[in-house]
Amino acid sequence: MTLSVRPMELEDIPQASGIEREAFPPPWPATNFRRELKSSSLTHHLVVYEGLYESKRLDGEPEGADCNVRSSKSKLETLRSSLRRLFRPEADRIAPRQRILGFAAVWFMADEAHLANIAVREAYRQRGVGELLVISVIKLAIERNARFITLEVRFSNKTAQALYKKYGFVEAGTRRAYYTDNREDALLMTADGITSAPFEENFLRLSQAYARKWGIRI
Ligand SMILES: CC(C)(COP(=O)(O)OP(=O)(O)OC[C@H]1O[C@@H](n2cnc3c(N)ncnc32)[C@H](O)[C@@H]1OP(=O)(O)O)[C@@H](O)C(=O)NCCC(=O)NCCS
């Protein structure tokens, strides 16, 4: 299975809504994706889909020309350019009827990025889709000069917490009875200093390990 990531488009909404209903069934309110996609440049929605990147390199070099580390580049710079190739939405033109496997929504407010929603199609969980979404959200937040990322997660949702902790999120507080369906508490988690060198280096290392694990060529 080859995974790719790109911004959500209007035609993805039926699939994204289906994934959301599967992950967060009623009485959890359904997201009005159409309104969110049309209304605000402060909200970004990403989708992971099954498919291939276009083979053309964005910078005009032939594919595979710099898969190896060049000695003149710093390690960090090499990792950065690897990441740029991994996430290249401009290179993707949307093929009709792409199968959407998961989505994430992130809001930007001043120097904060808030991961508002993330879900993966149930049949495709534990195959790296959620991790690719988290990597993409962090990358987007860094690009937009956010200083930190916040999110809320159910106390009982240890799966999602493990994913966030892997990427440097730490527990930052509790919101009592945050979830109206069962009055469960929310754990507030944050990733701070996301543009600091230590965070970026760790992030790039994890991203490369991810790419190796799931066979994504970078
Ligand atoms: C949370 C969720 C997005 C994870 O997506 P996923 O595609 O299954 O996750 P991945 O396969 O990319 O796994 C990445 C990491 O998540 C964690 N993880 C995933 N499944 C896990 C499980 N069953 N138990 C423990 N940790 C798990 C691990 O840290 C894993 O990294 P590892 O492989 O190095 O151990 C997915 O389970 C989901 O959609 N859940 C329902 C919606 C939801 O809870 N959203 C979060 C709201 S805050």
Side-chain angles (χ1 to χ4, degrees):
M1 183 173 71
T2 308
L3 302 178
S4 302
V5 63
R6 60 165 170 77
M8 188 186 288
E9 300 286 339
L10 287 172
E11 57 263 44
D12 301 325
I13 290 175
Q15 292 193 69
S17 297
I19 293 168
E20 182 181 54
R21 294 332 279 154
E22 188 183 54
F24 310 108
W28 193 252
T31 301
N32 187 334
F33 286 107
R34 179 169 293 273
R35 192 182 60 204
E36 289 193 0
L37 286 185
K38 287 193 156 178
S39 68
S40 167
S41 63
L42 300 179
T43 308
H44 284 253
H45 296 75
L46 300 169
V47 294
V48 165
Y49 62 96
E50 202 172 355
L52 287 167
Y53 291 113
E54 226 176 67
S55 62
K56 183 168 68 62
R57 285 278 305 275
L58 285 181
D59 56 11
E61 290 181 43
E63 188 72 44
D66 61 354
C67 282
N68 298 322
V69 175
R70 287 180 188 148
S71 54
S72 57
K73 276 185 179 175
S74 74
K75 202 172 155 202
L76 190 59
E77 186 49 41
T78 304
L79 289 170
R80 278 210 181 105
S81 64
S82 295
L83 264 184
R84 276 198 293 277
R85 290 199 302 280
L86 178 57
F87 304 101
R88 46 186 170 183
E90 310 92 308
D92 287 331
R93 289 281 44 100
I94 298 157
R97 304 167 76 80
Q98 270 173 355
R99 187 160 179 78
I100 305 301
L101 306 181
F103 72 88
V106 55
W107 303 337
F108 289 94
M109 294 154 284
D111 52 1
E112 174 181 356
H114 183 73
L115 177 55
N117 206 351
I118 179 169
V120 172
R121 211 181 268 277
E122 202 165 345
Y124 287 83
R125 290 186 192 156
Q126 295 186 276
R127 297 197 208 179
V129 177
E131 188 164 348
L132 182 54
L133 286 165
V134 168
I135 291 172
S136 306
V137 165
I138 294 172
K139 181 175 178 284
L140 188 63
I142 291 172
E143 282 171 2
R144 294 199 45 143
N145 293 319
R147 221 168 33 81
F148 60 104
I149 308 174
T150 60
L151 60 87
E152 285 100 14
V153 56
R154 285 178 193 266
F155 253 80
S156 61
N157 193 347
K158 302 299 177 200
T159 301
Q161 288 170 33
L163 172 56
Y164 303 141
K165 282 177 185 164
K166 181 173 179 180
Y167 279 83
F169 285 82
V170 296
E171 299 177 13
T174 305
R175 297 200 200 284
R176 295 274 168 226
Y178 180 79
Y179 296 98
T180 48
D181 54 346
N182 62 355
R183 299 190 53 75
E184 185 173 353
D185 294 345
L187 189 62
L188 176 62
M189 299 187 79
T190 65
D192 286 320
I194 62 170
T195 51
S196 69
F199 186 96
E200 273 204 61
E201 273 182 49
N202 188 49
F203 173 57
L204 293 164
R205 185 183 57 75
L206 285 167
S207 303
Q208 278 220 321
Y210 171 88
R212 273 196 305 276
K213 177 176 175 182
W214 295 104
I216 294 179
R217 189 159 176 256
I218 58 173

